[in-house]
Coordinates of all heavy atoms in Angstrom, one line a residue:
L205 N 127.8 155.6 178.2 CA 127.6 155.1 179.6 C 126.2 154.6 179.8 O 126.0 153.7 180.7 CB 127.8 156.4 180.6 CG 129.3 157.0 180.7 CD1 129.5 157.9 181.8 CD2 130.2 155.7 180.8
G206 N 125.1 155.1 179.1 CA 123.8 154.7 179.3 C 123.6 153.2 179.0 O 123.2 152.4 179.8
P207 N 124.1 152.8 177.7 CA 124.0 151.4 177.4 C 124.9 150.5 178.2 O 124.7 149.4 178.5 CB 124.5 151.4 175.9 CG 124.2 152.8 175.4 CD 124.4 153.7 176.5
L208 N 126.1 151.2 178.7 CA 127.0 150.4 179.5 C 126.3 150.1 180.9 O 126.4 149.0 181.4 CB 128.3 151.1 179.7 CG 129.3 150.4 180.5 CD1 130.0 149.2 179.7 CD2 130.5 151.4 180.8
S209 N 125.7 151.1 181.4 CA 124.9 150.9 182.6 C 123.9 149.8 182.5 O 123.6 149.0 183.3 CB 124.4 152.2 183.2 OG 123.6 151.9 184.3
E210 N 123.2 149.9 181.4 CA 122.1 148.9 181.1 C 122.6 147.5 180.9 O 122.1 146.5 181.4 CB 121.2 149.3 179.9 CG 120.1 148.4 179.6 CD 119.1 148.3 180.7 OE1 119.0 149.2 181.5 OE2 118.4 147.2 180.7
A211 N 123.8 147.4 180.4 CA 124.5 146.1 180.2 C 124.9 145.5 181.5 O 124.6 144.3 181.8 CB 125.7 146.2 179.2
L212 N 125.4 146.3 182.4 CA 125.8 146.0 183.7 C 124.4 145.5 184.5 O 124.4 144.4 185.2 CB 126.4 147.0 184.6 CG 126.9 146.7 185.9 CD1 127.8 145.3 185.9 CD2 127.6 147.7 186.6
G213 N 123.4 146.3 184.4 CA 122.1 145.9 185.0 C 121.6 144.6 184.5 O 121.1 143.7 185.3
Q214 N 121.7 144.3 183.2 CA 121.2 143.1 182.7 C 122.0 141.9 183.2 O 121.6 140.8 183.5 CB 121.3 143.1 181.1 CG 120.2 144.1 180.6 CD 120.2 144.2 179.1 OE1 121.1 143.6 178.4 NE2 119.3 145.0 178.5
A215 N 123.4 142.2 183.3 CA 124.3 141.1 183.8 C 124.0 140.8 185.2 O 124.0 139.6 185.6 CB 125.7 141.6 183.6
V216 N 123.7 141.8 186.0 CA 123.4 141.5 187.4 C 122.0 140.8 187.5 O 121.8 139.8 188.3 CB 123.3 142.9 188.2 CG1 122.6 142.7 189.5 CG2 124.6 143.6 188.3
E217 N 121.0 141.3 186.7 CA 119.8 140.6 186.7 C 119.9 139.1 186.2 O 119.2 138.3 186.8 CB 118.8 141.4 185.7 CG 117.4 141.0 185.7 CD 116.5 141.8 184.8 OE1 117.1 142.8 184.3 OE2 115.4 141.5 184.7
A218 N 120.7 138.9 185.2 CA 120.9 137.4 184.7 C 121.5 136.7 185.8 O 121.1 135.5 186.0 CB 121.7 137.5 183.5
A219 N 122.5 137.2 186.5 CA 123.2 136.4 187.5 C 122.1 136.1 188.6 O 122.1 134.9 189.2 CB 124.3 137.2 188.1
V220 N 121.4 137.0 189.0 CA 120.5 136.9 190.2 C 119.3 135.9 189.7 O 118.9 135.1 190.4 CB 119.9 138.2 190.6 CG1 118.7 138.0 191.7 CG2 121.0 139.0 191.2
G221 N 118.9 136.0 188.4 CA 117.9 135.1 187.9 C 118.4 133.7 188.0 O 117.5 132.8 188.0
A222 N 119.6 133.4 187.9 CA 120.2 132.0 187.9 C 120.6 131.6 189.3 O 121.6 131.0 189.4 CB 121.2 131.7 186.8
A223 N 120.0 132.2 190.3 CA 120.5 132.1 191.7 C 120.6 130.6 192.1 O 121.5 130.2 192.8 CB 119.6 132.9 192.7
G224 N 119.6 129.9 191.7 CA 119.6 128.6 192.1 C 120.8 127.7 191.7 O 121.5 126.9 192.4
Q225 N 121.2 127.9 190.4 CA 122.4 127.3 189.9 C 123.7 127.9 190.5 O 124.6 127.2 190.8 CB 122.3 127.4 188.3 CG 123.6 126.8 187.7 CD 123.5 127.0 186.2 OE1 122.6 127.5 185.6 NE2 124.6 126.5 185.5
L226 N 123.8 129.3 190.5 CA 124.9 130.0 191.0 C 125.2 129.6 192.4 O 126.4 129.5 192.8 CB 124.9 131.5 190.8 CG 124.9 131.9 189.3 CD1 124.8 133.4 189.3 CD2 126.1 131.4 188.6
A227 N 124.2 129.4 193.3 CA 124.4 129.1 194.7 C 125.1 127.9 194.9 O 125.8 127.7 195.9 CB 123.0 129.0 195.4
R228 N 125.0 126.9 193.9 CA 125.7 125.7 194.0 C 127.0 125.8 193.3 O 128.0 125.2 193.8 CB 124.9 124.6 193.3 CG 123.5 124.2 194.0 CD 122.9 122.9 193.5 NE 122.6 123.1 192.0 CZ 121.6 123.5 191.4 NH1 120.6 124.0 192.2 NH2 121.5 123.6 190.1
E229 N 127.1 126.5 192.1 CA 128.3 126.4 191.3 C 129.3 127.6 191.5 O 130.5 127.4 191.5 CB 127.9 126.3 189.9 CG 127.1 125.1 189.5 CD 126.6 125.1 188.1 OE1 126.9 126.0 187.4 OE2 126.0 124.0 187.7
D230 N 128.8 128.7 191.6 CA 129.6 130.0 191.7 C 128.9 131.0 192.6 O 128.3 132.0 192.2 CB 129.8 130.6 190.4 CG 130.8 131.7 190.5 OD1 131.4 131.9 191.5 OD2 131.1 132.3 189.3
P231 N 128.9 130.7 194.0 CA 128.1 131.7 194.9 C 128.8 133.1 195.0 O 128.1 134.1 195.3 CB 128.3 131.0 196.2 CG 129.4 130.0 196.2 CD 129.4 129.6 194.8

Side-chain angles (χ1 to χ4, degrees):
L205 294 189
L208 185 65
S209 173
E210 181 60 26
L212 179 58
Q214 292 178 356
V216 169
E217 187 175 355
V220 174
Q225 179 181 357
L226 291 181
R228 295 189 304 270
E229 300 175 358
D230 190 1

